[in-house]
Amino acid sequence: MTRTEPVPAVTPLAGGSELPAPGRWQIDPGHTELAFVGRHFMLTKVRGRFTGVIGTIQVAPEPGETTVEVTIDMTSVESGSQARDEHLRSPDFFDTARYPQATFAGRAASWQGTRGLLAGELTIRGISRPVTLEAEYLGQVDDPWGGHRAVFTAAGTVDREDWGLTWNLPLDGGGLLVSREIGIEIELEAVLQP
């Protein structure tokens, strides 16, 4: 009788670093946060997040060939204020009645060890624009149910007006009510598929 050895969920690299094993990794929505940070009155940070995030990471043997596809449920926006969330869903911002989903499709680039860039196209309100995020692979863990989980983080800054998100109000002393620059912060777990 032949014994089958389990497939390792990591690939060793030179220098002691490891990357997740090649294969299809499914994003776990319950353990993933896609957050955004903007400024209110040009001073106060306002944070929000999307709770409906699904997608896959296709890890390739060569890190630069790894791809990501993500779908974001724009109606799942949460910012800690029901009135603000309703405004974000309105035609002034995401117009979720017409555009309930946003998508991101990207590829790893300039990868060194466990860090690199994630470069791709973000589509919001039917408008696609290039976005580059700084990404990092934080490690892998075996879960209690026999699965392999990989943990990633990514961050970057976008100009919301690139997607037609131009609503704003001028302030008496100069400046605008809502910042154009929006920070993006992503923490995610992905599960290796059989």
Side-chain angles (χ1 to χ4, degrees), residues 25-43:
W25 294 75
Q26 185 83 32
I27 293 172
D28 178 355
H31 296 96
T32 294
E33 179 170 279
L34 170 54
F36 59 89
V37 183
R39 295 262 181 199
H40 190 243
F41 292 113
M42 308 306 289
L43 300 169

Side-chain angles (χ1 to χ4, degrees), residues 2 6 14-15 17 25 28 31 43 46 53 94 119 132 138 154 160 166:
T2 341
S17 298
W25 294 75
D28 178 355
H31 296 96
L43 300 169
V46 175
V53 179
F94 300 130
T132 301
L138 299 180
R160 66 185 176 90
T166 58

Side-chain angles (χ1 to χ4, degrees), residues 6-9 25 140-150 190-194:
V7 177
W25 294 75
Q140 184 258 234
V141 64
D142 293 336
D143 66 31
W145 306 278
H148 303 293
R149 292 178 175 262
V191 182
L192 182 61
Q193 301 302 291

Side-chain angles (χ1 to χ4, degrees), residues 107-112 115-119 132-135:
R107 179 178 295 275
S110 304
W111 208 264
Q112 297 292 324
R115 296 173 182 255
L117 300 177
L118 183 59
T132 301
L133 304 172
E134 294 183 8

Side-chain angles (χ1 to χ4, degrees), residues 30-117:
H31 296 96
T32 294
E33 179 170 279
L34 170 54
F36 59 89
V37 183
R39 295 262 181 199
H40 190 243
F41 292 113
M42 308 306 289
L43 300 169
T44 307
K45 282 186 179 178
V46 175
R47 298 179 181 275
R49 65 188 185 130
F50 295 96
T51 58
V53 179
I54 59 172
T56 57
I57 302 167
Q58 189 67 46
V59 175
E62 288 297 320
E65 296 173 10
T66 294
T67 59
V68 177
E69 291 188 8
V70 177
T71 300
I72 305 153
D73 176 1
M74 300 302 281
T75 66
S76 73
V77 66
E78 292 181 356
S79 68
S81 163
Q82 184 175 347
R84 181 171 48 232
D85 294 347
E86 288 173 9
H87 191 200
L88 288 170
R89 292 182 191 107
S90 80
D92 283 344
F93 286 98
F94 300 130
D95 196 1
T96 60
R98 291 179 58 204
Y99 305 101
Q101 294 181 332
T103 59
F104 177 80
R107 179 178 295 275
S110 304
W111 208 264
Q112 297 292 324
T114 58
R115 296 173 182 255
L117 300 177

